[in-house]
Amino acid sequence: MAEHRQSRKRRYITWGVAGAAVVAGAGIAAQTSMAATTWPAQKTYTGRAFDTCTAPSLAAMKAWKTDGFYGAAAVYIGGKNRGCAQPNLTASWVKSVNTAGWKLIPLYVGAQPPCQTSANPEKFTAANAASVGAANANDAIAKAAALGMKAGSPIYLDMEPYDITNKACNDAVLTYVRSFTKTLRAKTYRAGYYGFSSSSAKAIATATNKTDLPGNLWYALWDKKNTTTTDWPWDPKLFTDHSRGHQYMVNSKETRGGYTITVDRNAWDAPVALIG
């Protein structure tokens, strides 16, 4: 497996390592940190979504909407490890593409594991995993809110591949993710997670202790199958109730309405941003 769409440089570096109203974070048992809060109804999108490193222009987004092949787009809202500039990604752009009928998937490129062989500018350690996770989550919330993505929206934490057999490193990752998730939920944002079926997503899906882990899992498995069910690699009882995304194809160069963009394709059945 390789890296999520950021910059090509980072992708190659990382290759060396392995609307329904539902309860917030549905899909995993024991979501203990959210029980006392009244949550806005989840906005669910089911269908195809794309992600690309830089948010396209408004004209491109309007042109791509005309054929209806995609209904949602993931956007990188922040994080020190975000690989591309985002000149188009403003509150005005978000409002306009939402009005045009797009659903948006907020993605935050947080700090990465200490054992990851990459040149990412921000990594956490076992000692500071909890504090960095909280700081990253607060930053993600501020970035989402500034773009008009309201409380009740999901924020998907991007975790790139790492050696999950390295127990110390994996434990640090889980500490970081739990802190990020708990901080999001304290401010009524839903917790999502992007990772690879062979490593970072597997660590979440197979963790024995589910407390404070994200309730929505977006898994990278590049089998070109537009599904969130038939190739689901783990216990089928996990991440049900509209809580799954599947990145099934990458580097797809596509032209729609006269605009050509290289995207990754996703099958989506999970929460999307609440805009307003």
Side-chain angles (χ1 to χ4, degrees):
M1 284 301 179
E3 189 178 5
H4 193 31
R5 175 167 300 289
Q6 296 179 54
S7 66
R8 289 186 179 179
K9 179 180 178 182
R10 287 193 189 160
R11 178 171 292 217
Y12 292 136
I13 288 170
T14 313
W15 266 348
V17 296
V22 299
V23 176
I28 272 190
Q31 299 289 348
T32 55
S33 65
M34 48 174 39
T37 304
T38 300
W39 284 70
Q42 175 173 301
K43 185 175 184 178
T44 298
Y45 168 72
T46 302
R48 285 192 187 90
F50 76 84
D51 62 90
T52 190
C53 197
T54 299
S57 68
L58 179 57
M61 291 295 287
K62 288 181 177 179
W64 269 48
K65 194 71 178 69
T66 56
D67 69 1
F69 187 81
Y70 295 107
V75 290
Y76 289 91
I77 64 170
K80 292 180 181 178
N81 294 325
R82 185 171 64 175
C84 289
Q86 300 293 343
N88 298 317
L89 188 55
T90 64
S92 175
W93 183 92
V94 167
K95 184 177 181 180
S96 295
V97 298
N98 180 70
T99 300
W102 285 102
K103 308 300 187 292
L104 294 179
I105 301 163
L107 183 63
Y108 186 86
V109 192
Q112 297 296 301
C115 61
Q116 189 185 85
T117 56
S118 72
N120 286 316
E122 185 181 30
K123 292 185 177 182
F124 54 84
T125 67
N128 68 12
S131 60
V132 173
N136 279 185
N138 282 320
D139 182 56
I141 292 164
K143 295 291 195 301
L147 289 170
M149 298 174 178
K150 301 187 297 184
S153 296
I155 297 176
Y156 293 84
L157 175 64
D158 184 329
M159 186 65 67
E160 296 302 324
Y162 66 94
D163 181 7
I164 63 173
T165 67
N166 181 330
K167 186 178 184 304
C169 186
N170 195 59
D171 286 348
V173 169
L174 293 177
T175 296
Y176 168 83
V177 173
R178 286 189 172 101
S179 180
F180 188 95
T181 299
K182 192 172 183 178
T183 304
L184 286 187
R185 290 175 179 158
K187 296 187 178 180
T188 327
Y189 278 79
R190 290 175 162 86
Y193 182 93
Y194 168 89
F196 288 73
S197 62
S198 59
S199 60
S200 44
K202 183 178 181 180
I204 299 301
T206 61
T208 302
N209 180 2
K210 307 298 186 186
T211 304
D212 290 328
L213 292 182
N216 303 284
L217 186 60
W218 178 4
Y219 62 104
L221 176 60
W222 300 338
D223 57 7
K224 299 185 179 180
K225 295 180 180 179
N226 178 26
T227 179
T228 61
T229 56
T230 59
D231 66 354
W232 175 253
W234 305 292
D235 184 342
K237 295 187 297 294
L238 293 175
F239 298 95
T240 54
D241 297 325
H242 307 291
S243 298
R244 297 177 186 174
H246 171 207
Q247 187 184 64
Y248 65 88
M249 183 188 300
V250 293
N251 294 330
S252 177
K253 188 175 182 180
E254 303 176 15
T255 301
R256 301 180 185 280
Y259 290 84
T260 300
I261 309 172
T262 299
V263 301
D264 299 337
R265 290 187 179 186
N266 301 273
W268 202 260
D269 184 26
V272 293
L274 302 175
I275 309 300

